[in-house]
Amino acid sequence: MALRSQLLKGVLDACVMAVVEEEAVYGYELSQKLQKIGLPDISDGTIYPVLLRLQKNGFIRGEMRPSASGPNRKYYFLTDSGRDELRKIAGEWEEIAMPVSKLLKRSDEA
Amino acid sequence: MRTAASLIAENNEKREMLNNENLALYEEFLLYIRTDLRVAEQAGEEVLMDLLDHLLEAQEEGRTGSNLFGDNPQEYADEVIEALPREKKRNAAVFIFSQLLSLAGWFSIAYGAVYILLSFFTEVDTAISLGNILILLTTGAFVAFFAVWLIFKMLRSSLFRPKKSQTMEYVKAGLLGATAFGIIMLLAWLIPEFGPVIRLNWWVYVLIGLALMGAAKVIERVK
């Protein structure tokens, strides 16, 4: 659980929302997907406080559904305000990602 | 919508499928969440169920549960609690009020039972003064809340730590119970009779007690 800082929390929020937007998932699925994407150093549990926070803010909602493997699971869906929020964060991210990584790479070479 | 009660029942059932190592980890976490009285019960039970499902699925795939709670389970639990919604004041008030009613109900039933038992052996004076009863009930309520608060505190401070001898814990809890009971007995003995005196048959106390407990159950439903 190295993802502690505010910045990384925000990024993780966006990643979770992006996965949920693509397809409704339940907790275990979500953690597997994030690990597969290659996010570093995320322990399985990291997502649950994130899911709670996003629910509290009304960006996602949970609904009981039968899962592929059988038993009922709480699936998470993106809400309309979650979609807006995700667009907003994605836009901000695009604005800073390129220049920042360019800048950091330059100081790397120096 | 799954109610907190049905989630708890489901949790009890599913928990048995955990292996010993995971069960030990999970139960500490569960107690830590449930004994935090700020947490909204419904939301707390929902996340407990999510985590239980997660553990079970990981267990099936042969992965260890310590993956879920990380290197510092208490810190993780605090993080989850931080993200959980708070219990509404109204729900907490309803809960406390219904607990008070059922406490008074037990008290009344016990009173009636003691009268009927004693009357087999001796002549019993069923007169009680309302002033005394009110003071005793009020103190009883305060003592009970303080005891619950203290026991939760003791319990929480023992979680996520290597287990010390259980004997000390039992002794502490026993002393606590004895002290609480002692305070009430002492007051019953010290407080002079005052207030209007009533005389009721033993079965009236039992009926009043049952009515109070029934009312407590009904009130808890409105949460």
Side-chain angles (χ1 to χ4, degrees), chain B residues 57-93:
Chain B
E57 201 152 342
Q59 183 175 297
E60 254 170 54
E61 294 181 5
R63 306 171 64 218
T64 158
S66 50
N67 248 335
L68 180 57
F69 299 114
D71 302 329
N72 187 340
Q74 182 160 16
E75 199 180 296
Y76 179 63
D78 282 331
E79 207 179 317
V80 170
I81 288 171
E82 204 46 55
L84 276 167
R86 299 289 166 251
E87 188 68 273
K88 288 200 190 84
K89 292 246 162 42
R90 180 178 162 276
N91 281 353

Side-chain angles (χ1 to χ4, degrees), chain A:
Chain A
M1 267 199 270
L3 294 177
R4 286 256 164 244
S5 71
Q6 279 316 102
L7 172 69
L8 289 173
K9 256 186 189 168
V11 171
L12 194 55
D13 282 11
C15 292
V16 167
M17 282 195 281
V19 172
V20 171
E21 184 186 37
E22 206 172 291
E23 181 187 13
V25 286
Y26 63 92
Y28 188 80
E29 263 181 351
L30 175 61
S31 75
Q32 297 303 303
K33 280 193 173 175
L34 286 174
Q35 274 164 21
K36 234 174 252 163
I37 289 167
L39 285 178
D41 217 4
I42 293 194
S43 81
D44 279 19
T46 316
I47 55 163
Y48 289 98
V50 175
L51 287 171
L52 287 170
R53 211 166 44 234
L54 292 175
Q55 275 181 99
K56 222 189 219 173
N57 292 330
F59 296 150
I60 58 172
R61 66 188 163 79
E63 198 176 288
M64 292 305 294
R65 293 252 175 115
S67 65
S69 54
N72 278 343
R73 290 281 189 268
K74 193 173 176 190
Y75 278 84
Y76 293 95
F77 297 82
L78 203 62
T79 63
D80 288 340
S81 71
R83 215 164 301 256
D84 294 344
E85 178 73 7
L86 180 57
R87 291 284 87 79
K88 210 180 87 193
I89 301 180
E92 284 170 4
W93 175 257
E94 246 163 69
E95 273 171 33
I96 63 162
M98 275 288 276
V100 169
S101 54
K102 227 193 231 165
L103 182 68
L104 295 183
K105 224 176 240 160
R106 204 170 55 207
S107 60
D108 222 26
E109 287 159 6

